[in-house]
């Protein structure tokens, strides 16, 4: 589990630096962006206690 | 090292609006309804909030038993395919929000604490308990394990069956089948399957699914075994109520017969007692004791052990009288149960 989260985390960090991919942290903003762009939404719920 | 730009998953994710949510405060938990004891869970949906699929799910042994980058990549590709086709719009579930649960508000929001996902599930159950709608077979034993009906998936390949045994094999499932529908609903991921399987009424005797085999669709009716919904709930931490700090195993048919106990009864042998039981003076059980009745009852339609009977039929703080056999002598013993301290 930790390994997968680490890999996903690294991917997310790298993607965050990519001009093409932005990871939002606001669901309402994601819906608005999807409406504007016509893209589907890739929604991740992650527990970070 | 994973290079998102060049990786198959990275290329796919660039075609999505990606969003990561770590606080549930304003999320519609009626729409995004899943087992809150998942560490990570994904939804693929469109701007109209039509959910194409879920990705996630777990079993009792591990939170990542069904998480895999290959199958996540398959899911992301399928999501784009479904998005291009624009599936018909389905009815949206009734909205529900964490702030609808007064106890959750009182004990998290009001204290500026994080509304941890598992707390949502715990407090939903607490509210159900208070309003009399709690069915522990459904609400505590949620996310039933596919292996109970003999299905082992080839996890990197999504819903391809690696091994079919037990009830699934008896229904005709074979290794290499790909699960395509569950009770008439299309499924794309293990998350979809577990969500549909969990919706099965706990009194159901069978579940129907369709598999793809050699390009053809094959319908299967799987006979559900007794207590198909039962799973080890130790990973749920605070969800299991009441607590009584011992564990047991069911007596075998021969053991019950030798003791003159009903074959369908829940008599069980104590195999572990926590020191907490003694410290809190909850009961005086010892390893090797045989519990033959609880409050005079020996049989319950759902329970095969005394601990399961207590979990299903008792509320936190309830007491019970145990009939115990120890060294050939019968003892009547009082048992007190506990509630998690964080809920007090």
């Amino acid at each position: 589990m930790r390994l997968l989260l680490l890999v996903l985390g690294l991917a997310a960090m790298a993607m965050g630096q990519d001009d093409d991919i932005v990871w939002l942290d606001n669901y309402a903003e994601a819906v608005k962006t999807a409406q504007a762009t016509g893209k589907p939404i890739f929604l991740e719920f992650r527990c970070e206690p | 090292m994973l290079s998102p730009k060049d990786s198959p998953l990275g290329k796919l994710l660039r075609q999505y609006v990606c969003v990561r949510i770590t606080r549930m405060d304003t999320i519609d938990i009626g729409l995004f309804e899943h087992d809150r004891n998942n560490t990570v869970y994904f939804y693929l949906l469109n701007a109209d909030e039509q959910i194409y699929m879920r990705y996630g799910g777990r079993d009792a042994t591990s939170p990542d038993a069904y998480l895999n980058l290959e199958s996540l990549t398959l899911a992301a590709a399928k999501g784009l395919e479904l998005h291009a086709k624009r599936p018909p719009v389905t009815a949206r579930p009734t909205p529900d929000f964490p702030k609808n649960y007064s106890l959750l508000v009182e004990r998290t929001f009001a204290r500026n604490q994080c509304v941890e996902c598992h707390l949502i599930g715990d407090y939903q159950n607490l509210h159900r308990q208070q309003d009399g709608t709690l069915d522990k077979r459904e609400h505590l034993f949620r996310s039933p394990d596919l292996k109970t009906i003999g299905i082992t998936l080839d996890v990197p390949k999504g819903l391809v069956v690696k091994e079919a045994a037990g009830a699934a094999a008896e229904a005709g499932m074979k290794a290499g089948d790909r699960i395509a529908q569950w009770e008439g609903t299309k499924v794309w991921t293990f998350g979809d399957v577990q969500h549909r399987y969990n919706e099965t009424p706990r009194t159901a005797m069978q579940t129907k699914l369709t598999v793809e085999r050699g390009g053809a669709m094959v319908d299967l009716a799987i006979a559900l075994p007794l207590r198909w919904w039962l799973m080890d709930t130790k990973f749920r931490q605070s969800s299991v109520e009441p607590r009584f700090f011992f564990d047991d195993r069911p007596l075998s048919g021969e053991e019950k017969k030798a003791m003159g106990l009903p074959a369908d009864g829940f008599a069980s042998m104590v195999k572990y007692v926590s020191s907490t039981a003694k410290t809190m003076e909850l009961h005086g059980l010892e390893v090797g004791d045989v519990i033959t009745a609880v409050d005079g009852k020996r049989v319950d339609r759902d329970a095969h052990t005394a601990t399961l009977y207590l979990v299903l039929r008792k509320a936190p703080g309830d007491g019970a009288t145990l009939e115990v056999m120890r060294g050939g002598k019968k003892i009547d013993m009082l048992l007190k149960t506990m509630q998690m301290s964080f809920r007090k």
Side-chain angles (χ1 to χ4, degrees):
Chain A
M1 182 64 195
R2 285 180 183 154
L3 180 60
L4 179 66
L5 285 175
L6 178 63
V7 170
L8 288 172
L10 287 171
M13 286 168 61
M15 287 170 190
Q17 296 162 359
D18 188 311
D19 289 341
D20 295 332
I21 302 175
V22 175
W23 279 84
L24 305 174
D25 61 3
N26 182 301
Y27 177 69
E29 187 183 343
V31 170
K32 281 183 186 172
T33 306
Q35 285 168 344
T37 61
K39 288 183 175 182
I41 299 168
F42 188 90
L43 168 61
E44 174 186 329
F45 288 109
R46 181 183 293 214
C47 182
E48 289 189 351
Chain B
M1 180 181 168
L2 176 68
S3 173
K5 273 187 171 179
D6 302 325
S7 73
L9 180 59
K11 290 174 183 172
L12 293 167
L13 290 188
R14 277 188 282 178
Q15 298 173 65
Y16 282 89
V17 175
C18 297
V19 56
R20 176 176 297 113
I21 303 297
T22 58
R23 289 190 67 97
M24 301 297 290
D25 306 29
T26 59
I27 295 297
D28 181 352
I29 56 175
L31 178 62
F32 300 114
E33 201 283 322
H34 59 264
D35 186 343
R36 306 296 170 191
N37 280 101
N38 281 282
T39 311
V40 62
Y41 205 92
F42 303 87
Y43 289 85
L44 279 57
L45 67 159
N46 66 23
D48 296 326
E49 299 182 297
Q50 291 286 305
I51 294 172
Y52 297 137
M53 71 180 73
R54 301 149 172 271
Y55 184 92
R58 61 166 299 160
D59 64 12
T61 61
S62 169
D64 63 352
Y66 291 96
L67 302 180
N68 176 276
L69 278 177
E70 285 180 54
S71 61
L72 182 60
T73 304
L74 287 175
K78 191 69 190 178
L80 291 173
E81 186 184 319
L82 295 174
H83 186 65
K85 289 179 181 171
R86 285 273 168 179
V89 174
T90 56
R92 184 184 173 120
T94 305
D96 191 14
F97 295 92
K99 287 192 175 178
N100 292 345
Y101 297 88
S102 58
L103 291 168
L104 188 62
V105 171
E106 177 189 322
R107 294 165 203 194
T108 57
F109 288 102
R111 298 175 182 178
N112 296 318
Q113 292 179 351
C114 175
V115 183
E116 295 177 42
C117 300
H118 74 92
L119 289 179
I120 293 173
D122 289 348
Y123 280 101
Q124 282 178 317
N125 278 349
L126 200 52
H127 276 262
R128 290 176 180 127
Q129 187 174 288
Q130 288 186 346
D131 63 23
T133 59
L134 180 68
D135 181 343
K136 290 181 180 174
R137 296 172 303 175
E138 177 185 349
H139 300 122
L140 176 58
F141 295 97
R142 72 166 296 170
S143 303
D145 195 335
L146 282 185
K147 292 192 177 75
T148 305
I149 52 175
I151 301 176
T152 301
L153 295 176
D154 190 347
V155 174
K157 295 180 180 173
L159 291 181
V160 174
V161 176
K162 184 177 185 180
E163 182 184 349
E170 287 168 17
M173 181 177 281
K174 299 181 190 310
D177 286 352
R178 186 186 67 80
I179 302 172
Q181 293 182 29
W182 201 283
E183 291 288 346
T185 300
K186 286 181 182 176
V187 287
W188 306 109
T189 63
F190 173 74
D192 288 343
V193 163
Q194 194 169 50
H195 182 66
R196 297 298 170 199
Y197 188 33
N198 184 61
E199 289 182 332
T200 308
R202 297 307 189 250
T203 52
M205 305 291 282
Q206 76 168 23
T207 188
K208 293 180 179 176
L209 55 132
T210 303
V211 297
E212 183 185 344
R213 182 184 300 160
M217 292 294 182
V218 180
D219 293 329
L220 304 175
I222 297 179
L224 294 169
L226 195 63
R227 286 181 287 277
W228 58 272
W229 42 266
L230 184 62
M231 62 188 299
D232 187 344
T233 55
K234 288 186 181 68
F235 71 91
R236 295 199 186 281
Q237 300 176 341
S238 51
S239 296
V240 184
E241 302 273 26
R243 296 198 157 196
F244 30 76
F245 300 97
F246 75 93
D247 202 359
D248 57 359
R249 66 159 179 86
L251 289 191
S252 67
E254 291 76 19
E255 288 172 321
K256 289 177 185 173
K257 189 175 180 183
M259 296 180 72
L261 296 167
D264 58 348
F266 56 72
S268 57
M269 180 174 285
V270 176
K271 63 178 186 180
Y272 167 76
V273 180
S274 165
S275 58
T276 305
K278 190 170 285 184
T279 307
M280 303 296 291
E281 298 182 339
L282 298 176
H283 54 75
L285 286 169
E286 296 177 2
V287 172
D289 285 350
V290 175
I291 303 171
T292 52
V294 179
D295 293 336
K297 293 186 184 301
R298 299 184 191 283
V299 179
D300 181 273
R301 70 176 192 274
D302 292 317
H304 68 322
T305 62
T307 50
L308 183 56
Y309 176 85
L310 290 165
V311 165
L312 292 175
R313 309 297 174 217
K314 294 290 180 179
D318 282 354
T321 301
L322 308 181
E323 182 185 275
V324 177
M325 294 298 294
R326 179 183 295 168
K329 293 183 179 177
K330 190 178 86 171
I331 304 168
D332 283 332
M333 181 186 295
L334 294 177
L335 171 140
K336 290 189 288 186
T337 66
M338 274 187 63
Q339 187 171 31
M340 282 293 293
S341 58
F342 83 96
R343 288 180 175 173
K344 287 181 179 174

